[in-house]
Amino acid sequence: MQPQRKAVALISGGLDSLLAAKVVMEQGIHVEGINFFTGFCVEGHTHAIRQKDRDKPKRNNALWVAEQLGIKLHIIDISEPYKDIVINPQHGYGQHLNPCLDCKIFMVNQAKMWAWAEERQFDFIITGEVIGQRPKSQRKATMPVIARESGAEDRLLRPLCALNLEPTLPEREGWVDRARLFGFQGRNRKPQMELAARFGFDDYAQPAGGCCFLTDASYSRKLEDLWSHRGTRRYELDDIMLLKIGRHLRPRPEFKLIVGREEGENRFLEGYRKQFTHLRTASHQGPLTLIDGAASSDDLQLAARICARYSQGRSDAAVTVQVQHPSGATEQLQVQPFAPHEIPQEWHV
Amino acid sequence: MSGTTVLDARHLLCPIPVIRTQDRITAMHPGQTLQVIATDPGTRFDIPAWCRVHGHSVTGIDETGGEIHFFIQVCDAQP
């Protein structure tokens, strides 16, 4: 009797990875899921921060998919090694700062290394890729690149588009029946939705895309701004978290302001008070504002006027703003709030 | 509670509390209890969901002062 074969499935939480794992499980393969935390995941963070979203917390789609499939899910923090992918992608960026092809190669490689390093003895790797679905990473020409450069070679099976590709090891060895795999291609989601219906899945995350902040134009612009003003393409996890929230205004090259937009963001920014000089309106309700960079006394006046602009005192002649430095020293400034037209559009990052 | 390991995951946002829980449980033995203290409301869903898919038991959830305390009993079959 042949041993039961084992596969590790990359689970993003979207429909395609759900279906890819299910297709292989239907053939009697033992499947476990793996999900990677890069620091740029859209899920979770922003919903946990913003007050309006806290009232209806969003589920973790990867965990939800694992529950639907009845498989284990291993969530791996790759935020540190992932920096190299973001900073220096060998295959370049997509439309924004999204290094999709390098990202996929890296994740497949991580899955391979994780599986074997832990002696879990997985026989192959599954992804939910579909040829032609993504302009950068999911093209017929890039599929072999991912398999080759990740080191997975022909142990990488894409069940949803396998019929458009050369047979992989699991197919040639008869571990999976190629005739029961699929030949999906293109951006049309109808075949996936029909397959989902056939499996009885009627509740799943919205079609792929939008799960990574690096595909977002506004976020990418803020990251470019961070790099260019620091003079180095480096970042820490706190940096990329802060880019996800608040208004970012850069009135001077030496510093920018991060202005909380609502109570939840203000509460989150509170956690950074000891690291940054920060401002808070004392005479009116208003936002918590962090100063990222070096600000002179004149700059503090400017920052206070911006902070006041977004407070309840925006229409008043004067607003009192308390400034607290990381040393603990405080000072109070009386400022006239900027009128909206006095804040140049180019200050907004 | 005697023999309980405590994991402080306060002020961390999901999925980091789940990852820390997973990593800590991997180093524990069946029958032991892990107490996780978190503040991200998303953990109310994510930590029990992670426990369900791995077969660990959430024996209690207490919420006080903005903190969520999970009590997790490690199952026999480790992930």
Side-chain angles (χ1 to χ4, degrees):
Chain A
M1 184 177 170
Q2 285 202 339
Q4 186 185 29
R5 294 294 172 180
K6 297 172 72 176
V8 58
L10 267 64
I11 301 291
S12 67
L15 176 59
D16 291 349
S17 58
L18 167 69
L19 294 175
K22 181 67 174 174
V23 165
V24 170
M25 290 172 70
E26 288 288 293
Q27 298 204 24
I29 305 292
H30 173 85
V31 175
E32 293 187 23
I34 189 167
N35 174 263
F36 294 109
F37 170 66
T38 65
F40 294 100
C41 316
V42 171
E43 278 186 24
H45 287 154
T46 44
H47 286 79
I49 295 167
R50 301 195 71 170
Q51 185 62 41
K52 68 182 176 65
D53 295 320
R54 285 171 75 96
D55 298 335
K56 41 179 180 180
K58 195 182 175 196
R59 70 187 179 202
N60 179 304
N61 282 319
L63 276 168
W64 185 85
V65 162
E67 282 209 271
Q68 298 308 299
L69 293 168
I71 64 172
K72 290 182 177 179
L73 181 76
H74 309 276
I75 306 176
I76 312 297
D77 181 357
I78 57 166
S79 57
E80 194 60 34
Y82 194 75
K83 288 176 180 175
D84 282 343
I85 303 302
V86 177
I87 293 168
N88 186 31
Q90 299 302 302
H91 296 278
Y93 295 111
Q95 191 174 2
H96 303 295
L97 286 179
N98 45 312
C100 293
L101 183 51
D102 289 81
C103 177
K104 184 63 79 174
I105 292 167
F106 182 74
M107 287 187 176
V108 172
N109 185 45
Q110 289 288 306
K112 180 174 74 77
M113 295 297 290
W114 169 80
W116 268 269
E118 295 294 317
E119 297 182 351
R120 289 166 196 270
Q121 299 175 322
F122 286 94
D123 296 295
F124 59 100
I125 299 166
I126 304 163
T127 71
E129 292 164 290
V130 170
I131 288 174
Q133 187 154 262
R134 299 279 182 85
K136 181 83 176 169
S137 59
Q138 297 191 29
R139 293 184 293 120
K140 187 157 188 176
T142 58
M143 296 272 173
V145 176
I146 295 167
R148 185 176 63 247
E149 294 194 14
S150 67
E153 303 287 357
D154 63 355
R155 287 181 184 265
L156 175 57
L157 177 67
R158 287 109 164 180
L160 301 186
C161 65
L163 299 186
N164 302 318
L165 299 165
E166 290 296 311
T168 58
L169 183 72
E171 296 160 271
R172 295 199 307 274
E173 292 291 322
W175 303 340
V176 299
D177 179 1
R178 183 172 168 88
R180 294 167 64 192
L181 303 179
F182 296 88
F184 299 164
Q185 61 181 336
R187 300 177 71 87
N188 179 16
R189 306 286 300 165
K190 203 172 169 187
Q192 284 95 317
M193 290 174 183
E194 287 173 353
L195 186 58
R198 200 194 312 169
F199 284 136
F201 297 130
D202 56 6
D203 178 16
Y204 41 81
Q206 286 305 302
C211 60
C212 172
F213 269 107
L214 294 170
T215 62
D216 180 76
S218 168
Y219 187 89
S220 292
R221 195 165 55 244
K222 289 176 193 162
L223 184 55
E224 286 274 27
D225 170 80
L226 181 92
W227 285 342
S228 68
H229 287 88
R230 285 193 181 167
T232 175
R233 291 166 68 86
R234 296 174 65 85
Y235 65 82
E236 298 301 326
L237 192 56
D238 280 342
D239 292 325
I240 60 176
M241 297 296 290
L242 285 170
L243 294 182
K244 296 176 183 177
I245 63 162
R247 292 183 179 87
H248 290 238
L249 295 97
R250 186 176 291 284
R252 300 282 182 269
E254 296 79 21
F255 71 93
K256 75 169 177 178
L257 305 176
I258 304 172
V259 186
R261 290 175 294 191
E262 44 93 275
E263 187 187 339
E265 290 193 342
N266 289 339
R267 192 166 40 237
F268 181 74
L269 293 174
E270 294 261 358
Y272 292 91
R273 281 179 308 162
K274 292 180 180 169
Q275 295 170 244
F276 295 88
T277 296
H278 60 276
L279 300 87
R280 189 194 299 275
T281 48
S283 56
H284 300 77
Q285 289 236 324
L288 183 64
T289 300
L290 303 183
I291 299 181
D292 184 6
S296 67
S297 298
D298 286 347
D299 293 335
L300 287 181
Q301 285 280 339
L302 177 74
R305 293 190 67 193
I306 293 173
C307 181
R309 148 76 183 97
Y310 294 106
S311 75
Q312 296 291 320
R314 66 176 71 90
S315 303
D316 291 356
V319 169
T320 305
V321 177
Q322 174 151 315
V323 182
Q324 184 161 354
H325 299 276
S327 64
T330 62
E331 55 187 300
Q332 284 209 336
L333 304 174
Q334 291 273 342
V335 297
Q336 181 182 7
F338 272 123
H341 70 272
E342 291 178 303
I343 297 181
Q345 188 56 40
E346 57 266 28
W347 286 4
H348 289 273
V349 181
Chain B
M1 191 182 296
S2 173
T4 298
T5 300
V6 178
L7 171 63
D8 184 354
R10 290 175 295 179
H11 310 298
L12 299 176
L13 299 177
C14 282
I16 298 173
V18 181
I19 295 171
R20 297 272 171 90
T21 299
Q22 168 188 267
D23 292 347
R24 184 63 64 88
I25 282 182
T26 303
M28 294 175 67
H29 299 292
Q32 290 185 314
T33 297
L34 176 66
Q35 178 183 0
V36 181
I37 309 171
T39 47
D40 180 350
T43 57
R44 287 193 204 107
F45 300 88
D46 294 352
I47 287 180
W50 183 86
C51 289
R52 284 194 296 273
V53 301
H54 286 276
H56 303 299
S57 300
V58 178
T59 56
I61 302 176
D62 292 337
E63 294 197 32
T64 49
E67 293 183 355
I68 311 164
H69 294 239
F70 300 89
F71 297 89
I72 303 166
Q73 187 169 39
V74 180
C75 74
D76 288 340
Q78 274 285 351

